[in-house]
Amino acid sequence: MAQSASNVILISMPSSRNIALTVHELETGEFYWVLMEAVDGAPGDTTHVYVPLEAAHEPYATYSNALVAGVAMMRRLFGPDGSRPAP
């Protein structure tokens, strides 16, 4: 299993949803996007705990392709400006 650092993009949704997009390289050359949503933590806690919301079922050949596909899924789920669920 390949180990790689993944960048996380945090999107603050106007409807009080905290969504993160990350890309993981599970095997060498196989990249998967993952959308995660923050869940409530302990009162006063300044860190976030995220649970998976949606994930790619098939790998992408590059990190950037997986990232673009993850952003496209966010647009389908939340609309282009993040303010509403897609129909």
Side-chain angles (χ1 to χ4, degrees):
M1 180 186 255
Q3 295 290 329
S4 70
S6 59
N7 296 328
V8 175
I9 299 171
L10 299 176
I11 308 295
S12 193
M13 307 301 289
S15 62
S16 300
R17 295 181 80 175
N18 188 329
I19 306 295
L21 168 61
T22 188
V23 172
H24 296 280
E25 185 179 25
L26 300 181
E27 297 288 336
T28 302
E30 293 186 355
F31 299 90
Y32 295 81
W33 58 262
V34 180
L35 291 178
M36 301 177 293
E37 184 168 14
V39 294
D40 292 335
D45 193 358
T46 59
T47 62
H48 296 288
V49 174
Y50 288 87
V51 295
L53 183 65
E54 293 282 339
H57 297 285
E58 299 293 326
Y60 292 84
T62 65
Y63 179 95
S64 60
N65 286 349
L67 184 64
V68 168
V71 170
M73 177 56 77
M74 287 182 66
R75 287 178 162 235
R76 283 192 295 276
L77 291 174
F78 305 110
D81 63 358
S83 64
R84 61 177 162 65

